[in-house]
Amino acid sequence: MYRDILNQPRNQQLELLLAHKDRIIPRLNNDYMRPWFGQKIDGRVADLGQMTYVEVISRAVELMYDKHQKRWVHKSYFRLVVDFINRSERQLCTPDQSAPLTALLDKVEPVCYVDVVSEIYPEFKTRLLSSEDVQFFVYLCKRPGQKPPPFVPVLDTDFGDLLLKDTVFQTVNFELANGQNSQRIGVQQSHDAAQYLTRTDEPVKGIIDDVYQGLIAALLRQLHSSDEASVPVVEYIGAEPDSANVIISGLTSVNETSTERVFRLPNTAKQLPNIDSWLQALAGPRKSWLRALLTAPVIAQKSRFVDNYVRRMLRARP
């Protein structure tokens, strides 16, 4: 994308963008930190002019409001959404509306905006954006004082700015990454870091490997006087177990040999031990891969962190 489009003269970029549109949009949605904005309610890719007013509001909130921390990632994103809703209301509302829609939005969470808008203006769910409102939405994304939004709303002559402007803000605000996927984050190279690049056309892997090996060498020198033989070997890094003998209420007996431990549990669910104490007992007193697996609250699944479902699988049962 950079070589074929952004490195070309600016007056030629729009023609190239439109010619490669079917290739660019999937790349944005699959790989980049700023996805393509246009999306129908069922997930299909669309242009702004193919979206309803409700779909635009829903997509904007999805990409600019952090529902986990319950906050707008930047205050100008709230202003963008509210200004678009105000404009839409003025365009479509009837003269007898008693109060501006935004007065009602102040009383609800942004994730509920779509429900409020749909209830007051049912036509917002089916009416497509007019060409004027498409232009207005794009203007809101580019206007002075607006923090560059975490998406690409349109393919036009400002595509390079929409794609790259102020990506540092998005890099340090991980919650802006689509799906909070760390693989989408672009790592910015600072002026201080550039002085350590001493090889021409060095791959990113080489840069990261140098950082990794340098950190290992520094820790080895600081903690073990650069003697690798003195580094202890452990199955995982973590806190020491609280106690070698975990007492579990509800456990009727434990039979232990050199090769196995057998637990006898009560016959009724009310008498079963709680999950944390039970898994501590299963994990045993030694720091091992089993203890790491049973006590970790989350585990890595491909490129994402998910709740440790192994804990639920091994919960105590009568």
Side-chain angles (χ1 to χ4, degrees):
M1 191 180 302
Y2 297 94
R3 181 186 67 251
D4 298 337
I5 296 175
L6 297 180
N7 282 341
Q8 303 303 317
R10 192 179 181 94
N11 60 358
Q12 299 178 15
Q13 290 181 13
L14 180 58
E15 182 179 352
L16 293 170
L17 286 169
L18 296 178
H20 297 282
K21 181 178 179 180
D22 292 342
R23 179 171 62 89
I24 292 171
I25 292 177
R27 286 291 304 276
L28 292 175
N29 287 335
N30 295 331
D31 300 327
Y32 196 59
M33 67 169 69
R34 291 180 176 172
W36 178 250
F37 180 84
Q39 180 176 287
K40 300 293 288 181
I41 203 71
D42 58 4
R44 288 180 292 120
V45 171
D47 292 329
L48 276 170
Q50 298 170 323
M51 298 175 69
T52 66
Y53 287 85
V54 160
E55 287 171 336
V56 171
I57 296 168
S58 174
R59 183 70 166 157
V61 172
E62 174 191 351
L63 295 175
M64 295 188 289
Y65 180 76
D66 181 9
K67 63 181 180 181
H68 301 288
Q69 299 184 25
K70 295 185 177 181
R71 69 179 183 93
W72 293 96
V73 180
H74 192 269
K75 61 183 180 181
S76 70
Y77 293 161
F78 168 71
R79 186 161 62 97
L80 187 156
V81 173
V82 169
D83 287 351
F84 177 76
I85 293 176
N86 278 336
R87 159 86 174 203
S88 303
E89 186 176 31
R90 289 195 300 270
Q91 294 284 87
L92 303 178
C93 72
T94 57
D96 60 346
Q97 285 291 332
S98 59
L101 181 58
T102 50
L104 300 176
L105 298 181
D106 289 338
K107 302 175 183 178
V108 299
E109 287 291 319
V111 292
C112 299
Y113 280 5
V114 168
D115 296 332
V116 174
V117 170
S118 299
E119 182 177 351
I120 298 177
Y121 299 112
E123 64 270 29
F124 274 28
K125 294 188 291 185
T126 56
R127 182 172 298 191
L128 300 179
L129 262 66
S130 65
S131 58
E132 292 84 358
D133 286 340
V134 169
Q135 295 174 10
F136 181 73
F137 184 82
V138 174
Y139 159 75
L140 292 178
C141 296
K142 301 178 181 180
R143 65 182 169 180
Q146 174 64 52
K147 177 65 71 173
F151 53 77
V152 176
V154 67
L155 298 181
D156 63 7
T157 54
D158 294 323
F159 177 72
D161 292 336
L162 293 169
L163 191 71
L164 300 171
K165 189 176 181 181
D166 200 12
T167 52
V168 174
F169 174 77
Q170 197 165 346
T171 299
V172 300
N173 287 272
F174 171 72
E175 58 272 17
L176 273 177
N178 194 18
Q180 296 195 340
N181 184 351
S182 60
Q183 298 299 319
R184 291 177 173 270
I185 296 298
V187 179
Q188 301 296 313
Q189 181 183 9
S190 68
H191 298 293
D192 291 335
Q195 63 182 307
Y196 297 102
L197 296 179
T198 58
R199 297 187 290 272
T200 304
D201 296 330
E202 184 176 11
V204 173
K205 181 181 184 304
I207 298 173
I208 300 300
D209 284 346
D210 285 347
V211 174
Y212 177 68
Q213 296 298 333
L215 179 59
I216 291 176
L219 291 174
L220 187 64
R221 182 173 59 252
Q222 179 180 352
L223 301 177
H224 301 284
S225 302
S226 299
D227 181 12
E228 292 188 18
S230 66
V231 179
V233 177
V234 295
E235 292 193 27
Y236 81 102
I237 298 175
E240 294 291 337
D242 292 337
S243 174
N245 298 310
V246 179
I247 300 175
I248 308 178
S249 60
L251 196 63
T252 57
S253 65
V254 179
N255 299 322
E256 186 169 351
T257 68
S258 60
T259 59
E260 64 179 11
R261 290 197 305 271
V262 179
F263 298 88
R264 189 178 301 277
L265 295 170
N267 294 324
T268 60
K270 290 184 178 180
Q271 295 177 311
L272 292 175
N274 68 68
I275 189 169
D276 289 325
S277 298
W278 168 242
L279 293 179
Q280 285 284 343
L282 289 183
R286 187 172 62 87
K287 290 175 65 176
S288 65
W289 66 268
L290 179 62
R291 169 167 284 276
L293 177 64
L294 297 184
T295 59
V298 296
I299 58 176
Q301 189 174 61
K302 295 184 178 180
S303 61
R304 305 184 68 180
F305 289 108
V306 298
D307 290 339
N308 187 354
Y309 49 79
V310 176
R311 291 170 56 87
R312 298 194 301 272
M313 293 169 57
L314 297 180
R315 69 185 186 275
R317 295 176 176 84

